[in-house]
Amino acid sequence: MINNRYDFVMLFDVENGNPNGDPDAGNSPRMDAETGYGFITDVCIKRKIRNYVSLTKEGEAGYNILIKPDKSLNEKFTDAYIEEGLPLEQKKKNEDDVKKARDYMCKNYFDVRVFGAVMSTGDDPCGIVRGPVQINFARSLSPINIQDVTITRQARTTKDRKATGETEMGRKSIIPYALYRAEGYISAAQANKITDMTEEDVELLWNAIINMFEEDHSAARGKMCTRKLYIFKHDSVLGNCPSHVLFDKITVKEKDGIYVPRKFDDYEIIIDKDMPEGVELICK
């Protein structure tokens, strides 16, 4: 059970990498064509969190990950029915059985308990869970500069291609530097009503956000790291203040004289520490 609503702001950056490629644009970094600002999808951020939890909690009861490529989702839904001793032969499942299967998924899968899931597919549906944790798209604090870097490789893939020469050209799309900001929410009311997310899950979420890039380095993504995590803790389940009022208390801007940001120190973070009554600011 959670007794506090939370809102949070995370700042993370990328150096000489592609933080989130767009399949519709040749896997180039995602960018708002109208403004030139970069963005990263919520799905990408949650993937990093899932990977961290899967790595650090592997084998521990209650910390399985539903969204990962080990086996199909429908097979996992059927497993829930088997574990709960629910009938599999019925084509139209009883509502009580679906609820029991849903509760099993929430209890055993961290990402269902936290982010929710659509589990209504297949012959053994487990219902739909609206997750108490929601994360918005991340957006860069400055317009991004996408550079297409030409590379060569010496290992040809086929005999026909090797016959044309020893090397061939390739391409990597990178951002020299960008600082991103993402905002999120934890609804204690939703957690207590549906998924039974716990305070331990909340702490694990903070640890995952702080460390999600440390165990996920790759040449394609370059150097990425979480720089700051600001948590607004309400002293009630339903909250003491609208989230947008709290988000406005964290302002990030380029320092005077900086026209092309190339490092975290090129930005200034201004925090209004005058919190509304019943709200505590925690900086990590």
Side-chain angles (χ1 to χ4, degrees):
M1 184 172 182
I2 301 176
N3 297 316
N4 310 90
R5 198 188 91 187
Y6 297 90
D7 301 297
F8 57 94
V9 175
M10 63 179 91
L11 300 177
F12 57 91
D13 58 6
V14 59
E15 181 180 327
N16 294 327
N18 181 353
N20 183 204
D22 184 352
D24 290 329
N27 209 43
S28 183
R30 298 180 188 269
M31 182 178 71
D32 182 341
E34 292 184 339
T35 65
Y37 285 80
F39 67 94
I40 296 173
T41 65
D42 61 315
V43 175
C44 177
I45 297 171
K46 289 188 284 189
R47 178 75 270 155
K48 308 292 187 243
I49 293 172
R50 286 185 171 101
N51 289 347
Y52 177 83
V53 173
S54 179
L55 185 66
T56 58
K57 292 289 187 177
E58 185 175 8
E60 291 191 30
Y63 292 97
N64 294 322
I65 298 296
L66 176 67
I67 308 299
K68 68 176 185 179
D70 50 350
K71 61 181 181 179
S72 72
L73 296 179
N74 287 351
E75 288 181 275
K76 296 178 183 180
F77 303 156
T78 299
D79 289 344
Y81 275 75
I82 294 173
E83 291 295 328
E84 289 294 292
L86 302 174
L88 298 175
E89 63 278 359
Q90 295 178 351
K91 287 296 182 182
K92 184 173 177 58
K93 293 298 190 286
N94 181 288
E95 286 188 13
D96 290 338
D97 291 345
V98 173
K99 184 179 182 301
K100 289 178 182 178
R102 184 197 71 186
D103 292 343
Y104 173 88
M105 298 300 290
C106 289
K107 179 181 178 181
N108 287 276
Y109 289 89
F110 173 83
D111 54 341
V112 176
R113 196 162 59 246
V114 173
F115 299 131
V118 176
M119 303 178 291
S120 54
T121 62
D123 295 328
D124 306 305
C126 298
I128 298 174
V129 175
R130 181 180 177 185
V133 178
Q134 300 295 328
I135 299 175
N136 297 333
F137 279 26
R139 181 177 181 271
S140 67
L141 277 301
S142 304
I144 62 173
N145 176 26
I146 300 175
Q147 296 184 2
D148 287 334
V149 180
T150 302
I151 59 174
T152 61
R153 71 174 181 180
Q154 295 184 337
R156 290 296 186 100
T157 54
T158 66
K159 288 183 178 180
D160 291 341
R161 295 175 72 173
K162 185 170 177 57
T164 64
E166 292 296 326
T167 62
E168 61 184 356
M169 298 296 180
R171 183 177 66 88
K172 292 180 69 172
S173 294
I174 66 166
I175 300 172
Y177 182 80
L179 178 64
Y180 288 84
R181 170 177 174 151
E183 298 161 350
Y185 323 83
I186 301 180
S187 170
Q190 287 286 341
N192 298 339
K193 181 180 179 181
I194 300 176
T195 71
D196 289 332
M197 182 181 178
T198 66
E199 291 289 353
E200 289 76 14
D201 292 330
V202 173
E203 286 303 315
L204 179 57
L205 177 67
W206 302 145
N207 288 334
I209 291 173
I210 292 170
N211 297 291
M212 60 184 175
F213 300 115
E214 294 306 308
E215 304 298 337
D216 194 56
H217 294 297
S218 78
R221 284 187 289 275
K223 177 184 175 183
M224 296 189 69
C225 86
T226 300
R227 292 292 185 170
K228 296 289 183 180
L229 174 60
Y230 300 100
I231 303 166
F232 299 98
K233 181 179 181 180
H234 301 251
D235 68 4
S236 66
V237 170
L238 295 177
N240 303 77
C241 179
S243 57
H244 72 274
V245 174
L246 301 176
F247 292 153
D248 287 345
K249 291 184 176 294
I250 307 294
T251 303
V252 185
K253 65 178 184 178
E254 297 174 13
K255 291 181 178 177
D256 293 340
I258 300 296
Y259 300 103
V260 183
R262 283 294 184 266
K263 59 182 183 299
F264 181 65
D265 288 341
D266 288 342
Y267 289 90
E268 178 183 9
I269 301 174
I270 302 170
I271 304 174
D272 178 2
K273 295 186 178 181
D274 184 17
M275 293 293 118
E277 183 177 354
V279 178
E280 176 189 1
L281 174 63
I282 302 170
C283 303
K284 291 181 177 288

